[in-house]
Structures are given as C-alpha cells and as structure tokens.
Amino acid sequence: MRIKKAVIPVAGLGTRLLPATKTVPKELLPIVDIPAIQYVVQEAVDSGLTEMIFVTGRGKDSIEDHFDEAPELEQVLEQRGQKELVEQLRTISKMVEIVSVRQKQPLGLGHAVLCARDLIGDEPFAVLLSDDLIDAPVPCVRQLLNVFEAEGESVLALRRVPKPEVRRYGIIQGQVLSDRVYQVEAMVEKPEPQDAPSELAIVGRYILHPEIFSCLEKVPPGRGGEIQLTDGIAELARRRKVYAYEFSGVHYDVGDKLGFVRATIAYALKRADLRDQLKKYLATAMSEG
Ligand code: UTP
C-alpha cells in the first residue's frame, strides 16, 4: 500500500525557545532564511508524500499562511523586478496540498496525532516533527517508507546517541533483525542513563499503522495531562510488530537552543553564498573567544 498522508503536529508551545516563541511559532523560526517547517514539508514531498495534515493550535495560523499564495507581496516584488524571489514564493505555495485540524489544548504529541484521526481514516501514514531536521542524501522518511514497503508495519526513525543524552529521548529496547533494522520490544520515555535499555533514540519521523489511534485512546494522560505518542506506540508494539530503522543522515534538534544554533551554522556552511565568509568569521570568532 502506498502512503500518501503525513501528519505534522505544530500545536506545541515551544517553551524551550521563549521568548522568541511568545508570538512567533517555533516552526517558522528560520534556519538561515528558510523556516524549519519548510525543510520538513520538503522532506515529506521528496519522500513521495502528497497530502500534509497540520495539527495546529492557537497563534499558529501563520504556518498555513507560509504555504499559501501571497499575491500582494508577489506584485510588489514583480514591480521591483525581483523575479527570482517571486519564483521562490510561488514554488512554496505550490509545494503540496495542506489541510489542517485544530488541537484545542496542547495535551501532548499523542493527543495531537489523535486529532488527525478523521483526516487519516483507516490507512497507514507518516508523522514528521518539525523540531527534528535531518540532513540526508535519501530523505529520512523515504528511508522509513522503504522498510514499511518491505514489512507492511509501523517503522520508527532511530539514532544512536551518547549515553548521557538518553534522558532527552524516547529509547527503545529491541532485537536487531538486519543491517539498521530493529524490531521494537519496549520503549522508555526519557530514561536516566543507568536505566536506559539501549542508546537507540527515537527521532521525530514515524510511519504508523492506523491501529495507533485506538492505542492512543487507551493511553492514560501523564504529566501535565499530556498524552505521549511514545506510550501509544508502546501499546501498538504489544498488539502488532513495530520496526525501527537507524537512518543515515545528520540530525538536528531545532526545538532546543543549542540544536537550533548548530543547525543554523551547518545549513549556512552548505550555502555557496555564505560558506566562505562564514568560515572566515567562525575562525576569527574561535580564536578570539
Ligand atoms: P515538544 O515536546 O517539543 O513540545 O513537542 P513543545 O511544546 O512543542 O516544545 P517545548 O518542549 O515546550 O519547547 C514535540 C512536537 O509535538 C508537537 C510540537 O508542536 C512539536 O512538533 N506538539 C506537542 C503538539 O502538536 N501538541 C502538543 O500538545 C504537544
């Protein structure tokens, strides 16, 4: 079965990036000059997904506007002869079909995914978190879809992290099946390093079987009344097979201050228009700092 739909939850409060996120959705904070969400939508499109479902919340309307047409702006730019910029804006508005559903209260990532249930129906789907940027020659979601197409069951994206960092992630316990492919037996959310079953961390890309919805319904709310996606997937793994794939690519957590700065530097260094000057600046800053 071919997967067409991607759920992109964008209803979180983004408290780690306050005060910037007081009025600006964290998904629109730019990595150089492209909002984080645009990289993620591009990854979904490059992976062959055609329908994006944004789970939005209060104050997040501008995320949808970013993917909409902007006739007045285009007109002004055209009058000024800035054709390249006009083309760039048009490409964004033609990227993909977007529908949205509202999460009225930020009751957790699991709850956000559950909000997309009616728009997904009874078919497997992808979930992408815009906190996670993955720079990879083969888009990360495409790598997961390749495993899904072989196995026909849910697939989670995995990254090996240094032991002290396990407390920032959902960590799996699993059996290795073949190169980079695991079968998930259990999952622990943000364990202390001494309690972690492995150093294999779940990163924000998932292919999920629709049975996840009935699992999420059963998950009791945890801290702050939040329903965790990890708990739903743990229940799913008790009912049917769940795979995980150690993707190739570089991961940046742009929902976190240090991760955001790292991604900004890494993506700027890849840009021909910035690279040389930035390298010079970094060398000077390092020697002075
Ligand atoms: P985070 O755990 O990063 O939470 O959410 P957050 O509120 O966005 O950010 P911090 O931790 O306060 O800084 C992971 C993903 O789940 C979405 C977020 O938008 C983000 O993409 N999310 C989280 C929701 O859509 N709804 C929620 O209720 C919680």
Side-chain angles (χ1 to χ4, degrees):
M1 176 172 200
R2 209 182 136 245
I3 295 188
K4 302 187 297 283
K5 295 179 183 173
V7 174
I8 307 187
V10 295
L13 298 177
T15 55
R16 281 171 295 161
L17 295 177
L18 279 169
T21 48
K22 185 178 172 193
T23 54
V24 180
K26 69 170 167 181
E27 296 77 9
L28 289 182
L29 295 178
I31 307 300
V32 189
D33 51 6
I34 297 176
I37 186 88
Q38 191 182 321
Y39 288 103
V40 171
V41 169
Q42 187 71 56
E43 179 187 329
V45 171
D46 292 345
S47 300
L49 303 171
T50 50
E51 198 180 308
M52 307 294 127
I53 299 167
F54 286 175
V55 182
T56 71
R58 262 190 293 284
K60 300 276 184 162
D61 295 348
S62 48
I63 299 176
E64 285 157 89
D65 293 345
H66 179 72
F67 293 93
D68 205 350
E69 292 180 8
E72 296 86 0
L73 179 57
E74 284 176 21
Q75 203 184 349
V76 175
L77 293 172
E78 231 156 43
Q79 280 162 0
R80 292 182 184 170
Q82 292 176 293
K83 286 214 159 51
E84 242 174 68
L85 273 179
V86 175
E87 273 321 303
Q88 249 187 50
L89 295 184
R90 289 201 179 133
T91 311
I92 299 167
S93 61
K94 287 191 188 119
M95 266 172 102
V96 79
E97 203 58 51
I98 289 171
V99 292
S100 67
V101 60
R102 199 89 167 181
Q103 185 189 25
K104 290 186 183 155
Q105 279 180 291
L107 292 177
L109 175 58
H111 180 261
V113 170
L114 200 48
C115 290
R117 184 181 203 161
D118 289 346
L119 291 170
I120 294 289
D122 194 25
E123 52 185 277
F125 60 101
V127 175
L128 292 88
L129 305 188
S130 63
D131 277 355
D132 293 298
L133 293 193
I134 298 165
D135 185 18
V138 176
C140 180
V141 167
R142 184 65 252 164
Q143 297 180 44
L144 301 189
L145 285 167
N146 291 344
V147 180
F148 171 82
E149 282 159 15
E151 306 295 345
E153 291 290 349
S154 306
V155 190
L156 321 177
L158 283 188
R159 172 194 156 187
R160 203 171 278 279
V161 295
K163 191 115 191 157
E165 284 181 31
V166 293
R167 58 164 69 89
R168 294 177 41 211
Y169 294 91
I171 301 292
I172 72 147
Q173 178 183 326
Q175 289 290 332
V176 57
L177 297 181
S178 57
D179 187 30
R180 294 176 176 268
V181 182
Y182 297 79
Q183 187 175 333
V184 178
E185 288 165 349
M187 295 157 61
V188 199
E189 187 62 32
K190 303 189 171 78
E192 284 305 311
Q194 67 275 13
D195 304 327
S198 72
E199 284 146 40
L200 294 165
I202 302 166
V203 169
R205 300 289 184 274
Y206 314 77
I207 308 297
L208 295 174
H209 187 280
E211 199 168 338
I212 187 69
F213 294 121
S214 63
C215 298
L216 285 169
E217 264 179 349
K218 278 189 55 183
V219 168
R223 208 162 17 106
E226 291 203 353
I227 295 173
Q228 301 297 343
L229 181 60
T230 316
D231 293 341
I233 299 174
E235 172 63 18
L236 187 66
R238 288 190 277 275
R239 298 189 192 181
R240 51 196 311 141
K241 286 184 180 159
V242 171
Y243 296 92
Y245 185 71
E246 204 183 325
F247 62 89
S248 26
V250 185
H251 166 243
Y252 302 93
D253 178 2
V254 298
D256 166 80
K257 286 189 238 309
L258 183 60
F260 184 85
V261 174
R262 270 190 191 148
T264 302
I265 295 172
Y267 280 66
L269 284 172
K270 285 170 65 116
R271 290 266 297 253
D273 56 336
L274 300 172
R275 188 185 156 81
D276 291 344
Q277 276 174 295
L278 179 59
K279 275 176 93 172
K280 270 189 210 141
Y281 167 71
L282 288 175
T284 322
M286 292 301 290
S287 63
E288 285 170 1

